[in-house]
Amino acid sequence: MPETATSAQTPDSAATRERAETQDGAATRDGAATRDGAAKTWDSADMMNVAAARELHDGDVCLVGVGPPNLAANLARRTHAPNCRLVYESGAIDAKPRRLPLSIGDDDLAATATAVVSVPEMFNYWVGAGRIDVGFLGAAQLDRYGNLNTTVIGDHDNPKVRLPGAGGAPEIAAAAGRVIVIVKQSPRTFVEHIDFVSSVGYGPTGRERNASGAGPTLVITDHGVLEPDPETNELTLTRLHPGVTVDQAKQATGWPLKVADSIKEVDPPTDTELTALRSLRNREPIDA
């Protein structure tokens, strides 16, 4: 019998995994220091979520996935993008959650939303019609062309792990104006060939995409940021988080990672961002 993973138990967060893995999907790097030698007050999970939140603009209509995308989108709303309109596939439009939602079915989403619509309306009127500016997604596996697997690990008919499934991610990946993927970087997640294509990025060779949305424009990890090459659509390392090296990013990737000629360093989290992030993790309430 295959192991079944719930939304809170993916291959990278099963109970047998090391406890160093946080609920945000990235491992803590204890004892790390900044370039000037001072001890850091944040870890790789913080950096990943802050970097993702910064990519949302004030006023964006963002369809929020579960896990790290949920944390990052709400962090953006609490910091630099208070007018970001959060949309959840359960039907909540312009939700203003007072605490970090536990799932897309959290009752606080319906209670604070401008409207709650049916699932057919969500996907036909909002997603399919191109009314979503940004889709925030996670994945259990992805390949060098941004194709995502959230269905099974192993053979589909006889899997090692059966995952929660794609949900609305295929439609979001196809039609959102921008798609941002947030995922921990490791060779078991960044694989040469994904076991199942749940959501299409740019296709098996990077040239097969045939959808209205732009596709995955950013992949944000606990190591840095990857962007599709403008000619080949191959994911390319363009930014590194503080304290991370190119070699570390390559070792965390299951294919020969393409690296941009010029690598930028992501600014570390500010005190304001860290305060808001920790408040969200603690599910401390704010006024809607």
Side-chain angles (χ1 to χ4, degrees):
M1 294 290 290
E3 178 184 353
T4 300
T6 67
S7 59
Q9 179 186 330
T10 66
D12 281 328
S13 60
T16 54
R17 294 277 159 231
E18 295 180 6
R19 296 302 179 186
E21 302 230 301
T22 72
Q23 65 180 359
D24 310 314
T28 301
R29 297 192 183 100
D30 293 326
T34 58
R35 284 176 295 180
D36 61 7
K40 291 197 301 189
T41 59
W42 47 270
D43 59 30
S44 59
D46 298 332
M47 187 69 259
M48 179 175 71
N49 284 289
V50 166
R54 289 172 179 167
E55 297 299 329
L56 282 184
H57 308 140
D58 204 27
D60 275 347
V61 178
C62 176
L63 205 152
V64 186
V66 297
N70 183 36
L71 181 57
N74 279 277
L75 176 60
R77 244 194 105 247
R78 287 202 185 185
T79 52
H80 66 280
N83 298 307
C84 180
R85 300 181 181 277
L86 304 187
V87 177
Y88 288 80
E89 62 183 271
S90 54
I93 305 294
D94 193 21
K96 309 169 191 68
R98 292 162 290 206
R99 297 178 178 86
L100 183 67
L102 293 174
S103 72
I104 63 171
D106 194 304
D107 59 1
D108 197 36
L109 296 176
T112 62
T114 298
V116 178
V117 302
S118 67
V119 170
E121 181 175 337
M122 170 62 69
F123 285 99
N124 290 321
Y125 181 82
W126 288 92
V127 178
R131 291 181 167 88
I132 302 299
D133 297 321
V134 183
F136 251 175
L137 300 176
Q141 291 181 328
L142 81 163
D143 65 20
R144 70 178 72 200
Y145 296 114
N147 302 297
L148 309 180
N149 174 22
T150 52
T151 303
V152 294
I153 300 298
D155 180 73
H156 182 269
D157 294 329
N158 188 27
K160 297 176 182 177
V161 179
R162 190 169 295 282
L163 301 167
E171 289 83 1
I172 298 165
R178 293 181 288 143
V179 173
I180 299 174
V181 182
I182 312 172
V183 64
K184 179 187 172 184
Q185 191 167 348
S186 73
R188 35 181 303 126
T189 302
F190 281 55
V191 296
E192 185 75 53
H193 301 288
I194 59 178
D195 293 333
F196 188 89
V197 180
S198 309
S199 304
V200 174
Y202 295 102
T205 70
R207 302 184 182 279
E208 291 83 7
R209 183 174 178 83
N210 182 20
S212 58
T217 51
L218 292 173
V219 176
I220 299 175
T221 80
D222 54 337
H223 285 65
V225 179
L226 296 88
E227 302 177 58
D229 180 273
E231 294 184 2
T232 66
N233 290 319
E234 181 175 352
L235 293 176
T236 303
L237 182 68
T238 59
R239 293 176 248 170
L240 283 171
H241 297 323
V244 180
T245 67
V246 170
D247 284 343
Q248 287 174 326
K250 287 182 175 180
Q251 291 170 10
T253 307
W255 66 82
L257 179 63
K258 186 173 182 177
V259 179
D261 293 336
S262 178
I263 298 287
K264 298 178 181 178
E265 183 172 280
V266 179
D267 290 335
T270 65
D271 290 342
T272 298
E273 289 168 329
L274 289 173
T275 298
L277 182 64
R278 287 159 187 167
S279 175
L280 281 164
R281 286 201 185 110
N282 293 332
R283 302 200 71 235
E284 296 171 2
I286 59 170
D287 292 335

